[in-house]
Amino acid sequence: MSLTFKDLENFITVAKSRTLSEASEKLDMAQPSLSLGIKKMEKELGLPLFTRGRAGIKLTPQGKMILPKAEDALRLMFQIKGAPTNLSFKIGCHPSVGMFVLGEFLRSMHRTAPKLNLEIVNGSSHDINKKVAQGEVDFGLVMNPLPIPGLVTRFIGEDEVRVWESKDRYQDSLILNPDMIQANSILSRWKDAPGTRVEVPNLELIASLVDSGAGFGILPSQVVKAQRFNLKKVPNTPTYKDRLAVVCYPEIIKSTEGKLIFEELKKSFKA
């Protein structure tokens, strides 16, 4: 059997894509070559790995059995080959985004690529987007990114900004960060919003104040989850849908290490 590192990478990417076209784009290779490689792998293993139909390409029961083993093998091969010494990547994000993504991401990277050096850079999503474009950050975790020519933007999940309160709320003040576009959007649509406002620039502090009962708070759901406060959603109030993306240059995400970092960031958001 002559399966290669590349064969495993191709199989895993196809397994996590809806179509061969989508997988070939991720891998930056021609679709016929990718299809041929998958058929070669099926022939060598003697197993059907995918069904192909109008709904796209899907794993067979045999393919589902092979997938976790292929992922383990890929991680092992990466560890055996070893990441180049002193190879370092900068990951940029807003501190609040880091709270609900980076813990799981760093744990996973420790398991799969312990030799990679990672540096965390904090800033607003707008600033991180610019730092990626300027080459100061390698991967940006950015909420609602603006398109910048030359950069790759891959969305990895959604969050919802909404109004929260504690069961111990003792007043009707509204606690918010006035610089948040999401908060201003909600305010513009909330007809019965409290007139008394407490402006706080830090989302974690807003969550803490709301938990203490100091008023209503406008917060991303993931921040509330990360803080582990027992807050409840205020019914019949507007919401704002956030989209989280990984932003980087295509040359970086095409590298073996870059692909690994992207996949682990995506998995960590959903963890």
Side-chain angles (χ1 to χ4, degrees), residues 1 8-9 36 44 100 119 127 133 150-152 159 179 206 217 255 260 270:
M1 185 177 292
L8 292 178
E9 184 182 31
L36 193 63
E44 293 202 4
F100 60 80
E119 179 181 343
D127 288 341
L151 295 184
V152 172
D159 191 19
D179 295 327
I206 293 176
S255 69
L260 176 66
K270 296 176 180 178

Side-chain angles (χ1 to χ4, degrees), residues 7-265:
D7 290 329
L8 292 178
E9 184 182 31
N10 291 352
F11 166 67
I12 293 168
T13 302
V14 172
K16 295 182 176 182
S17 302
R18 290 168 295 182
T19 63
L20 267 179
S21 176
E22 180 183 318
S24 63
E25 185 177 337
K26 290 179 182 177
L27 292 163
D28 194 29
M29 67 184 296
Q31 186 174 327
S33 298
L34 178 59
S35 179
L36 193 63
I38 293 297
K39 288 177 181 177
K40 168 196 159 192
M41 186 172 175
E42 290 178 317
K43 183 177 179 181
E44 293 202 4
L45 290 174
L47 298 170
L49 300 177
F50 295 99
T51 60
R52 300 155 176 87
R54 287 187 177 182
I57 189 164
K58 297 186 181 299
L59 285 168
T60 61
Q62 295 91 335
K64 291 176 182 177
M65 177 190 70
I66 293 292
L67 180 59
K69 297 178 181 180
E71 290 176 319
D72 289 342
L74 197 64
R75 291 191 185 102
L76 181 60
M77 289 175 71
F78 186 86
Q79 290 169 357
I80 292 172
K81 287 166 67 81
T85 56
N86 298 322
L87 184 59
S88 180
F89 288 87
K90 290 184 178 181
I91 315 290
C93 64
H94 189 282
S96 298
V97 173
M99 283 186 62
F100 60 80
V101 175
L102 293 182
E104 183 61 31
F105 168 71
L106 292 175
R107 183 192 301 274
S108 183
M109 290 301 295
H110 174 71
R111 290 195 304 264
T112 57
K115 291 184 180 180
L116 278 184
N117 297 315
L118 299 170
E119 179 181 343
I120 307 302
V121 178
N122 283 152
S124 68
S125 283
H126 178 71
D127 288 341
I128 294 299
N129 215 20
K130 288 198 299 184
K131 286 181 183 294
V132 174
Q134 293 164 357
E136 298 175 18
V137 167
D138 300 305
F139 288 91
L141 278 168
V142 180
M143 282 292 186
N144 310 314
L146 294 174
I148 296 180
L151 295 184
V152 172
T153 299
R154 292 190 179 174
F155 290 96
I156 62 172
E158 293 184 344
D159 191 19
E160 189 175 58
V161 181
R162 60 181 309 125
V163 184
W164 300 84
E165 66 175 330
S166 164
K167 61 181 177 60
D168 300 318
R169 181 174 58 80
Y170 57 84
Q171 62 178 358
D172 291 341
S173 295
L174 178 60
I175 309 169
L176 75 162
N177 179 349
D179 295 327
M180 280 181 62
I181 294 173
Q182 301 94 320
N184 288 311
S185 172
I186 287 174
L187 270 179
S188 70
R189 293 177 284 127
W190 189 7
K191 295 180 181 179
D192 301 321
T196 305
R197 309 281 164 81
V198 179
E199 297 185 354
V200 179
N202 183 279
L203 293 176
E204 288 69 41
L205 179 54
I206 293 176
S208 180
L209 292 173
V210 174
D211 184 60
S212 74
F216 300 101
I218 298 179
L219 289 162
S221 299
Q222 289 288 352
V223 170
V224 174
K225 179 181 176 182
Q227 293 290 90
R228 299 181 180 177
F229 290 135
N230 189 26
L231 303 183
K232 59 181 183 179
K233 302 171 183 177
V234 179
N236 304 317
T237 54
T239 62
Y240 188 102
K241 191 74 74 176
D242 271 337
R243 299 182 72 200
L244 181 63
V246 174
V247 180
C248 62
Y249 276 101
E251 294 81 1
I252 292 178
I253 202 169
K254 287 178 184 178
S255 69
T256 300
E257 297 82 12
K259 289 174 183 175
L260 176 66
I261 289 172
F262 170 74
E263 289 299 330
E264 296 302 341
L265 285 171

